[in-house]
Amino acid sequence: RPRHGLWPLVYETGEGEFYIDTLAVREEFRSKGIGKRLLLAMCKKAFEEGYMRVGLIVDFDNPKAENLYASLGFKRMGEKTFLGHKMWHMQLEKQQ
């Protein structure tokens, strides 16, 4: 809950992870695999750059997005409250 009209500072990312802040696909292009391909390309790039994990947060109220991330191998790492919303912090580890 905000104090004095300000939300508390919350770090969305985990230490040492490549953090995906925002990804969106226009409504008319959804359900065509575009979001999945974008995520895979970002993860590939992050791993090529030397990162060992990729992280993101997803709203508790967005199970469709969470299912997409889980289908790519992202796992819940904990909870965060961001701008008043409960979020899952999820990570994908680089495969050795």
Side-chain angles (χ1 to χ4, degrees):
R1 188 150 91 144
R3 288 182 295 152
H4 310 292
L6 299 174
W7 293 99
L9 179 62
V10 174
Y11 292 100
E12 301 166 62
T13 185
E15 187 174 329
E17 74 182 12
F18 179 91
Y19 179 70
I20 298 174
D21 182 77
T22 304
L23 174 69
V25 176
R26 287 180 60 129
E27 190 171 347
E28 64 266 30
F29 297 110
R30 292 181 189 156
S31 298
K32 299 180 186 313
I34 295 168
K36 184 175 187 173
R37 288 195 302 271
L38 287 170
L39 280 167
L40 288 171
M42 284 187 277
C43 292
K44 181 178 185 234
K45 179 69 172 165
F47 296 145
E48 288 172 355
E49 298 271 329
Y51 288 90
M52 298 306 290
R53 62 191 157 282
V54 176
L56 51 80
I57 57 174
V58 61
D59 198 301
F60 279 17
D61 295 330
N62 195 351
K64 189 172 180 179
E66 183 184 357
N67 289 337
L68 169 62
Y69 306 143
S71 77
L72 297 174
F74 282 84
K75 301 207 179 331
R76 289 181 182 173
M77 302 306 292
E79 298 178 15
K80 301 222 179 217
T81 299
F82 186 71
L83 298 176
H85 296 275
K86 289 283 193 180
M87 308 281 229
W88 292 115
H89 177 221
M90 300 182 78
Q91 285 184 340
L92 175 67
E93 295 282 333
K94 181 177 182 178
Q95 300 301 307
Q96 301 298 330

